[in-house]
């Protein structure tokens, strides 16, 4: 793929608006494009495939590196997406590198949670799959889990050293694949100050990429997300521990996610317009957030305030009729599909 700057070399005046697209329930369900997403995205490039409108994907999903996700999205949606246009729920974890750079941290979730964290600069990260293998019988149900084939992945020297090294933080990077084991092992880490099998100790910090209770997915009704996993973990932890679980969730609707998205869009504009002298200083009049989840996308962009303009689609979590809005977190505009949203934006901005 060409880089963003190669794509954009002929442009001169930066537009005063940008767009953040949610992914699940807006442009994809599972791996299937929805709502005319490929056509809608093509409108943001000129005839020679040069990006003309600054846009990013702002998703709570994740589990893979942004560069890999950019390639997957490019293939699924038929336009060239650069890694700098992909902001995932776990992308703000980068900002914690200084604090945990060389500390032992455990990464949880589907996909490649440890590679994600390593790419962000964390140097001593272990996926919970491997961590659990270092402690014999930590998961008494493991022998019944037919998919457990990882035994060979951890060498025994590493096993011994990991067992005596204190875990300094746990990061839930993406959806837990094995709730029973992950809740068990996380409770072991969190109640012992990071040394499973030992006595009680101060709770190490716990970070979630996001707190989505549910998401749309490919199944007709919504699926439980990371927020549901958090409730399960918290409820069990709180019933075995005198102090309530402490945690931070960094994805949408946390204002940090929207601040970060604005910074990423500003940097994208600097790259598109070669404005390195004023890198990241562009001011947007409007940033459109196109999402399907009122409690996440709309709540977050409303809270973030200027310059955010929330648009709600009807292809995902929100299932109201075509004249309704969400009662608690109303969007500025409700549309059927992402294509309708982009058509509105292009009309509004012309
Ligand atoms: O697991 C991902 C899901 O919770 C939400 O994804 O793209 O709708 O933010 P998205
Ligand atoms: Mg969504």
């Amino acid at each position: 793929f060409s880089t963003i700057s190669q794509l954009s070399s002929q442009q001169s005046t930066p537009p005063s608006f940008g767009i953040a697209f949610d992914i699940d329930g807006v442009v994809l369900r599972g791996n299937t494009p929805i709502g005319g997403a490929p056509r809608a995205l093509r409108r943001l490039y000129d005839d020679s495939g040069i990006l003309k409108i600054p846009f990013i994907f702002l998703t709570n999903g994740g589990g893979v590196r942004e560069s890999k996700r950019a390639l997957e999205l490019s293939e699924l949606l038929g336009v060239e997406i650069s890694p700098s246009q992909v902001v995932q729920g776990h992308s703000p974890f980068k900002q914690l590198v200084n604090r945990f750079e060389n500390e032992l941290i455990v990464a949880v979730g589907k996909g490649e949670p440890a590679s994600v964290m390593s790419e962000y600069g964390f140097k001593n990260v272990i996926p919970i799959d491997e961590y659990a293998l270092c402690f014999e019988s930590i998961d008494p149900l493991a022998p019944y889990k037919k998919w457990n084939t990882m035994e060979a992945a951890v060498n025994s020297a590493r096993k011994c050293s990991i067992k005596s090294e204190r875990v300094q933080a746990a990061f839930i990077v993406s959806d837990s694949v094995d709730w029973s084991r992950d809740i068990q092992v996380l409770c072991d880490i969190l109640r012992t100050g990071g040394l499973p099998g030992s006595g009680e100790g101060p709770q190490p910090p716990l970070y979630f990429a996001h707190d989505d209770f549910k998401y749309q997915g490919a199944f007709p009704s919504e699926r439980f997300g990371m927020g549901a996993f958090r409730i399960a973990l918290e409820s069990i932890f709180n019933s075995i521990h005198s102090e309530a679980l402490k945690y931070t969730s960094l994805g949408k609707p946390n204002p940090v996610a929207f601040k970060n998205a604005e910074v990423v869009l500003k940097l994208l504009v600097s790259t598109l317009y070669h404005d390195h002298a004023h890198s990241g200083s562009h001011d947007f009049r409007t940033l459109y957030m196109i999402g399907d989840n009122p409690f996440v996308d709309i709540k977050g962009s409303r809270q973030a305030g200027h310059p955010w303009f929330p648009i709600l689609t009807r292809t995902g979590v929100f299932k109201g009729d075509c004249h309704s809005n969400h009662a608690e977190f109303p969007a500025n505009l409700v549309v059927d599909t992402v294509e309708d949203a982009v058509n509105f934006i292009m009309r509004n901005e012309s």
Side-chain angles (χ1 to χ4, degrees), residues 22-24 58-61 175 210 212 215 252 292 297:
D22 180 57
I23 294 183
D24 176 68
L58 180 58
T59 176
N60 273 350
D175 290 323
H210 63 87
D212 289 3
Y215 63 99
K252 300 171 291 182
D292 68 306
D297 308 310

Side-chain angles (χ1 to χ4, degrees), residues 29 216 220-222 292 294 313-321 324:
R29 281 183 66 174
Q216 180 53 54
S221 53
E222 296 98 43
D292 68 306
T313 68
R314 300 174 60 249
T315 43
V317 169
F318 178 71
K319 306 230 169 17
D321 69 49
S324 67

Side-chain angles (χ1 to χ4, degrees), residues 106-109 111 113 126-134 147-148 150 154 177-178 181-182:
V106 168
V108 179
I126 182 164
I128 198 164
D129 294 334
E130 283 179 32
Y131 186 73
L133 292 175
C134 299
W147 65 86
N148 263 340
M150 291 201 45
V154 192
V177 176
D178 181 351
R181 183 206 56 195
D182 291 353

